[in-house]
PDB file of all heavy atoms in Angstrom:
ATOM      1  N   SER B 111      18.165  -5.896  -5.978  1.00  0.00           N
ATOM      2  CA  SER B 111      19.233  -6.717  -6.551  1.00  0.00           C
ATOM      3  C   SER B 111      18.973  -8.207  -6.352  1.00  0.00           C
ATOM      4  O   SER B 111      18.119  -8.620  -5.573  1.00  0.00           O
ATOM      5  CB  SER B 111      20.573  -6.340  -5.913  1.00  0.00           C
ATOM      6  OG  SER B 111      20.544  -6.640  -4.521  1.00  0.00           O
ATOM      7  N   SER B 112      19.732  -8.993  -7.097  1.00  0.00           N
ATOM      8  CA  SER B 112      19.707 -10.460  -6.968  1.00  0.00           C
ATOM      9  C   SER B 112      18.290 -11.015  -6.996  1.00  0.00           C
ATOM     10  O   SER B 112      17.887 -11.779  -6.115  1.00  0.00           O
ATOM     11  CB  SER B 112      20.420 -10.882  -5.680  1.00  0.00           C
ATOM     12  OG  SER B 112      21.723 -10.375  -5.631  1.00  0.00           O
ATOM     13  N   VAL B 113      17.539 -10.634  -7.997  1.00  0.00           N
ATOM     14  CA  VAL B 113      16.127 -11.029  -8.030  1.00  0.00           C
ATOM     15  C   VAL B 113      15.960 -12.507  -8.356  1.00  0.00           C
ATOM     16  O   VAL B 113      16.803 -13.126  -9.014  1.00  0.00           O
ATOM     17  CB  VAL B 113      15.324 -10.178  -9.037  1.00  0.00           C
ATOM     18  CG1 VAL B 113      15.325  -8.715  -8.619  1.00  0.00           C
ATOM     19  CG2 VAL B 113      15.854 -10.351 -10.450  1.00  0.00           C
ATOM     20  N   THR B 114      14.855 -13.050  -7.863  1.00  0.00           N
ATOM     21  CA  THR B 114      14.454 -14.423  -8.172  1.00  0.00           C
ATOM     22  C   THR B 114      12.985 -14.385  -8.616  1.00  0.00           C
ATOM     23  O   THR B 114      12.352 -13.333  -8.602  1.00  0.00           O
ATOM     24  CB  THR B 114      14.588 -15.333  -6.949  1.00  0.00           C
ATOM     25  OG1 THR B 114      13.596 -14.955  -5.973  1.00  0.00           O
ATOM     26  CG2 THR B 114      15.976 -15.239  -6.329  1.00  0.00           C
ATOM     27  N   ALA B 115      12.465 -15.546  -8.948  1.00  0.00           N
ATOM     28  CA  ALA B 115      11.069 -15.618  -9.381  1.00  0.00           C
ATOM     29  C   ALA B 115      10.130 -15.087  -8.302  1.00  0.00           C
ATOM     30  O   ALA B 115       9.036 -14.597  -8.612  1.00  0.00           O
ATOM     31  CB  ALA B 115      10.729 -17.058  -9.731  1.00  0.00           C
ATOM     32  N   ALA B 116      10.525 -15.167  -7.060  1.00  0.00           N
ATOM     33  CA  ALA B 116       9.687 -14.689  -5.955  1.00  0.00           C
ATOM     34  C   ALA B 116       9.507 -13.174  -5.981  1.00  0.00           C
ATOM     35  O   ALA B 116       8.634 -12.641  -5.296  1.00  0.00           O
ATOM     36  CB  ALA B 116      10.282 -15.108  -4.615  1.00  0.00           C
ATOM     37  N   ASP B 117      10.320 -12.493  -6.761  1.00  0.00           N
ATOM     38  CA  ASP B 117      10.197 -11.033  -6.873  1.00  0.00           C
ATOM     39  C   ASP B 117       9.260 -10.621  -8.007  1.00  0.00           C
ATOM     40  O   ASP B 117       9.032  -9.435  -8.226  1.00  0.00           O
ATOM     41  CB  ASP B 117      11.573 -10.408  -7.082  1.00  0.00           C
ATOM     42  CG  ASP B 117      12.488 -10.601  -5.892  1.00  0.00           C
ATOM     43  OD1 ASP B 117      12.054 -10.303  -4.753  1.00  0.00           O
ATOM     44  OD2 ASP B 117      13.633 -11.072  -6.083  1.00  0.00           O
ATOM     45  N   THR B 118       8.710 -11.585  -8.718  1.00  0.00           N
ATOM     46  CA  THR B 118       7.717 -11.295  -9.749  1.00  0.00           C
ATOM     47  C   THR B 118       6.468 -10.717  -9.094  1.00  0.00           C
ATOM     48  O   THR B 118       5.897 -11.323  -8.185  1.00  0.00           O
ATOM     49  CB  THR B 118       7.355 -12.580 -10.522  1.00  0.00           C
ATOM     50  OG1 THR B 118       8.495 -13.017 -11.268  1.00  0.00           O
ATOM     51  CG2 THR B 118       6.185 -12.331 -11.472  1.00  0.00           C
ATOM     52  N   ALA B 119       6.061  -9.535  -9.539  1.00  0.00           N
ATOM     53  CA  ALA B 119       4.950  -8.851  -8.882  1.00  0.00           C
ATOM     54  C   ALA B 119       4.558  -7.614  -9.675  1.00  0.00           C
ATOM     55  O   ALA B 119       5.281  -7.170 -10.573  1.00  0.00           O
ATOM     56  CB  ALA B 119       5.336  -8.434  -7.464  1.00  0.00           C
ATOM     57  N   VAL B 120       3.411  -7.048  -9.309  1.00  0.00           N
ATOM     58  CA  VAL B 120       3.079  -5.695  -9.727  1.00  0.00           C
ATOM     59  C   VAL B 120       3.704  -4.761  -8.699  1.00  0.00           C
ATOM     60  O   VAL B 120       3.505  -4.945  -7.488  1.00  0.00           O
ATOM     61  CB  VAL B 120       1.556  -5.468  -9.797  1.00  0.00           C
ATOM     62  CG1 VAL B 120       1.264  -4.014 -10.139  1.00  0.00           C
ATOM     63  CG2 VAL B 120       0.919  -6.393 -10.830  1.00  0.00           C
ATOM     64  N   TYR B 121       4.452  -3.799  -9.170  1.00  0.00           N
ATOM     65  CA  TYR B 121       5.123  -2.841  -8.288  1.00  0.00           C
ATOM     66  C   TYR B 121       4.394  -1.504  -8.366  1.00  0.00           C
ATOM     67  O   TYR B 121       4.178  -0.965  -9.457  1.00  0.00           O
ATOM     68  CB  TYR B 121       6.590  -2.695  -8.693  1.00  0.00           C
ATOM     69  CG  TYR B 121       7.429  -3.880  -8.277  1.00  0.00           C
ATOM     70  CD1 TYR B 121       7.367  -5.088  -8.968  1.00  0.00           C
ATOM     71  CD2 TYR B 121       8.263  -3.810  -7.159  1.00  0.00           C
ATOM     72  CE1 TYR B 121       8.096  -6.186  -8.577  1.00  0.00           C
ATOM     73  CE2 TYR B 121       9.018  -4.912  -6.758  1.00  0.00           C
ATOM     74  CZ  TYR B 121       8.917  -6.087  -7.471  1.00  0.00           C
ATOM     75  OH  TYR B 121       9.661  -7.187  -7.077  1.00  0.00           O
ATOM     76  N   TYR B 122       4.016  -0.993  -7.193  1.00  0.00           N
ATOM     77  CA  TYR B 122       3.325   0.288  -7.094  1.00  0.00           C
ATOM     78  C   TYR B 122       4.200   1.304  -6.372  1.00  0.00           C
ATOM     79  O   TYR B 122       4.907   0.966  -5.416  1.00  0.00           O
ATOM     80  CB  TYR B 122       2.043   0.157  -6.267  1.00  0.00           C
ATOM     81  CG  TYR B 122       0.968  -0.749  -6.833  1.00  0.00           C
ATOM     82  CD1 TYR B 122       0.809  -2.044  -6.353  1.00  0.00           C
ATOM     83  CD2 TYR B 122       0.085  -0.292  -7.818  1.00  0.00           C
ATOM     84  CE1 TYR B 122      -0.187  -2.873  -6.848  1.00  0.00           C
ATOM     85  CE2 TYR B 122      -0.914  -1.117  -8.309  1.00  0.00           C
ATOM     86  CZ  TYR B 122      -1.043  -2.395  -7.822  1.00  0.00           C
ATOM     87  OH  TYR B 122      -2.041  -3.206  -8.308  1.00  0.00           O
ATOM     88  N   CYS B 123       4.110   2.563  -6.798  1.00  0.00           N
ATOM     89  CA  CYS B 123       4.659   3.634  -5.978  1.00  0.00           C
ATOM     90  C   CYS B 123       3.467   4.390  -5.376  1.00  0.00           C
ATOM     91  O   CYS B 123       2.372   4.406  -5.939  1.00  0.00           O
ATOM     92  CB  CYS B 123       5.567   4.566  -6.776  1.00  0.00           C
ATOM     93  SG  CYS B 123       4.845   5.380  -8.225  1.00  0.00           S
ATOM     94  N   ALA B 124       3.696   5.007  -4.228  1.00  0.00           N
ATOM     95  CA  ALA B 124       2.602   5.664  -3.512  1.00  0.00           C
ATOM     96  C   ALA B 124       3.140   6.760  -2.602  1.00  0.00           C
ATOM     97  O   ALA B 124       4.323   6.783  -2.256  1.00  0.00           O
ATOM     98  CB  ALA B 124       1.821   4.638  -2.688  1.00  0.00           C
ATOM     99  N   ARG B 125       2.241   7.661  -2.205  1.00  0.00           N
ATOM    100  CA  ARG B 125       2.577   8.772  -1.320  1.00  0.00           C
ATOM    101  C   ARG B 125       1.934   8.581   0.044  1.00  0.00           C
ATOM    102  O   ARG B 125       0.822   8.077   0.147  1.00  0.00           O
ATOM    103  CB  ARG B 125       2.060  10.086  -1.928  1.00  0.00           C
ATOM    104  CG  ARG B 125       2.396  11.330  -1.140  1.00  0.00           C
ATOM    105  CD  ARG B 125       1.686  12.554  -1.692  1.00  0.00           C
ATOM    106  NE  ARG B 125       0.300  12.626  -1.253  1.00  0.00           N
ATOM    107  CZ  ARG B 125      -0.486  13.684  -1.495  1.00  0.00           C
ATOM    108  NH1 ARG B 125      -0.013  14.706  -2.180  1.00  0.00           N
ATOM    109  NH2 ARG B 125      -1.738  13.690  -1.079  1.00  0.00           N
ATOM    110  N   SER B 126       2.650   9.004   1.072  1.00  0.00           N
ATOM    111  CA  SER B 126       2.060   9.009   2.403  1.00  0.00           C
ATOM    112  C   SER B 126       2.443  10.292   3.123  1.00  0.00           C
ATOM    113  O   SER B 126       3.359  11.005   2.720  1.00  0.00           O
ATOM    114  CB  SER B 126       2.503   7.791   3.218  1.00  0.00           C
ATOM    115  OG  SER B 126       3.899   7.816   3.425  1.00  0.00           O
ATOM    116  N   TRP B 127       1.739  10.583   4.208  1.00  0.00           N
ATOM    117  CA  TRP B 127       1.994  11.782   4.983  1.00  0.00           C
ATOM    118  C   TRP B 127       2.990  11.529   6.118  1.00  0.00           C
ATOM    119  O   TRP B 127       3.429  12.453   6.788  1.00  0.00           O
ATOM    120  CB  TRP B 127       0.686  12.320   5.557  1.00  0.00           C
ATOM    121  CG  TRP B 127      -0.241  12.871   4.521  1.00  0.00           C
ATOM    122  CD1 TRP B 127      -0.895  12.173   3.541  1.00  0.00           C
ATOM    123  CD2 TRP B 127      -0.628  14.232   4.351  1.00  0.00           C
ATOM    124  NE1 TRP B 127      -1.664  13.021   2.763  1.00  0.00           N
ATOM    125  CE2 TRP B 127      -1.521  14.281   3.240  1.00  0.00           C
ATOM    126  CE3 TRP B 127      -0.323  15.407   5.015  1.00  0.00           C
ATOM    127  CZ2 TRP B 127      -2.091  15.475   2.795  1.00  0.00           C
ATOM    128  CZ3 TRP B 127      -0.900  16.600   4.576  1.00  0.00           C
ATOM    129  CH2 TRP B 127      -1.771  16.613   3.472  1.00  0.00           C
ATOM    130  N   SER B 128       3.305  10.285   6.333  1.00  0.00           N
ATOM    131  CA  SER B 128       4.285   9.935   7.351  1.00  0.00           C
ATOM    132  C   SER B 128       4.764   8.529   7.066  1.00  0.00           C
ATOM    133  O   SER B 128       4.129   7.789   6.293  1.00  0.00           O
ATOM    134  CB  SER B 128       3.672  10.011   8.745  1.00  0.00           C
ATOM    135  OG  SER B 128       2.616   9.063   8.864  1.00  0.00           O
ATOM    136  N   VAL B 129       5.873   8.147   7.679  1.00  0.00           N
ATOM    137  CA  VAL B 129       6.346   6.773   7.533  1.00  0.00           C
ATOM    138  C   VAL B 129       5.385   5.866   8.281  1.00  0.00           C
ATOM    139  O   VAL B 129       5.128   6.060   9.456  1.00  0.00           O
ATOM    140  CB  VAL B 129       7.766   6.614   8.115  1.00  0.00           C
ATOM    141  CG1 VAL B 129       8.242   5.172   7.920  1.00  0.00           C
ATOM    142  CG2 VAL B 129       8.716   7.585   7.461  1.00  0.00           C
ATOM    143  N   GLY B 130       4.816   4.906   7.579  1.00  0.00           N
ATOM    144  CA  GLY B 130       3.825   4.036   8.191  1.00  0.00           C
ATOM    145  C   GLY B 130       2.424   4.586   8.133  1.00  0.00           C
ATOM    146  O   GLY B 130       1.471   3.918   8.557  1.00  0.00           O
ATOM    147  N   GLY B 131       2.269   5.786   7.620  1.00  0.00           N
ATOM    148  CA  GLY B 131       0.949   6.388   7.511  1.00  0.00           C
ATOM    149  C   GLY B 131       0.207   5.936   6.267  1.00  0.00           C
ATOM    150  O   GLY B 131       0.749   5.219   5.433  1.00  0.00           O
ATOM    151  N   ALA B 132      -1.021   6.359   6.175  1.00  0.00           N
ATOM    152  CA  ALA B 132      -1.871   5.949   5.057  1.00  0.00           C
ATOM    153  C   ALA B 132      -1.268   6.355   3.717  1.00  0.00           C
ATOM    154  O   ALA B 132      -0.715   7.434   3.565  1.00  0.00           O
ATOM    155  CB  ALA B 132      -3.256   6.571   5.208  1.00  0.00           C
ATOM    156  N   LEU B 133      -1.409   5.466   2.746  1.00  0.00           N
ATOM    157  CA  LEU B 133      -0.931   5.698   1.387  1.00  0.00           C
ATOM    158  C   LEU B 133      -2.094   6.252   0.588  1.00  0.00           C
ATOM    159  O   LEU B 133      -2.995   5.505   0.199  1.00  0.00           O
ATOM    160  CB  LEU B 133      -0.404   4.382   0.811  1.00  0.00           C
ATOM    161  CG  LEU B 133       0.763   3.787   1.599  1.00  0.00           C
ATOM    162  CD1 LEU B 133       0.823   2.284   1.453  1.00  0.00           C
ATOM    163  CD2 LEU B 133       2.073   4.420   1.154  1.00  0.00           C
ATOM    164  N   ASP B 134      -2.089   7.558   0.353  1.00  0.00           N
ATOM    165  CA  ASP B 134      -3.292   8.191  -0.167  1.00  0.00           C
ATOM    166  C   ASP B 134      -3.301   8.402  -1.671  1.00  0.00           C
ATOM    167  O   ASP B 134      -4.360   8.639  -2.260  1.00  0.00           O
ATOM    168  CB  ASP B 134      -3.566   9.522   0.552  1.00  0.00           C
ATOM    169  CG  ASP B 134      -2.510  10.574   0.264  1.00  0.00           C
ATOM    170  OD1 ASP B 134      -1.364  10.208  -0.088  1.00  0.00           O
ATOM    171  OD2 ASP B 134      -2.824  11.773   0.410  1.00  0.00           O
TER     172      ASP B 134
END
Side-chain angles (χ1 to χ4, degrees):
Chain B
S111 64
S112 305
V113 297
T114 69
D117 295 310
T118 293
V120 176
Y121 285 76
Y122 297 100
C123 57
R125 183 188 80 173
S126 63
W127 291 67
S128 63
V129 181
L133 299 153
D134 67 336

